[in-house]
Amino acid sequence: MRKLIQFGLTVVAVMGIGLMPLLGGSAAVGSIAGSRNATLSGEALVPNTTVFSGDKLQVSDGVAVVALEEGNRMVFGRETEASFLREAKDVTVLLSRGNVSMYHPGASVGVEVKAGGVTVRPVAGYVT
């Protein structure tokens, strides 16, 4: 019985350590809502994969949908490369090539896409 209790406490401790970055203001950007023929930092995507600041998304002949906080969503099309940057509450997508569509529900976190010298940012208070 004692070994079982030690094992249980060890599992809880390991899970707690693994969740600490998520609870302590980590650089999590969002999660993968769906994808086809896409990778994140070289790994095949599966739904609910967490996207972190610094991750690089590559879509070949497919699509990837990233769900951000407060209802924001981004859809990345075929032949797209992008990376993510989290700064305080804002999320910046650095688009290297390809295309992205975004849905911004209005009053929520700041989201922007930078491609070359152009920055696209929805205005707060408006559904975009």
Side-chain angles (χ1 to χ4, degrees):
M1 182 65 162
R2 182 180 168 143
K3 291 221 182 236
L4 183 60
I5 291 172
Q6 285 178 330
F7 176 75
L9 291 174
T10 302
V11 169
V12 170
V14 169
M15 288 176 62
I17 290 169
L19 292 175
M20 285 174 97
L22 295 175
L23 299 174
S26 74
V29 171
S31 64
I32 301 299
S35 68
R36 188 186 69 177
N37 296 328
T39 61
L40 187 66
S41 297
E43 298 293 323
L45 289 179
V46 295
N48 300 316
T49 298
T50 301
V51 178
F52 291 99
S53 184
D55 280 347
K56 184 174 183 179
L57 176 71
Q58 292 182 301
V59 181
S60 56
D61 184 23
V63 65
V65 180
V66 177
L68 306 172
E69 292 178 353
E70 300 180 28
N72 286 286
R73 291 183 302 277
M74 300 183 118
V75 180
F76 297 86
R78 43 186 290 169
E79 305 305 323
T80 296
E81 288 184 14
S83 58
F84 299 88
L85 179 61
R86 174 75 173 213
E87 297 174 323
K89 285 195 156 199
D90 296 336
V91 174
T92 300
V93 173
L94 305 171
L95 188 64
S96 301
R97 69 181 178 118
N99 63 76
V100 60
S101 298
M102 70 168 72
Y103 173 74
H104 178 74
S108 64
V109 297
V111 178
E112 66 183 13
V113 176
K114 291 185 178 183
V118 177
T119 299
V120 177
R121 178 181 306 138
V123 176
Y126 294 94
V127 176
T128 305

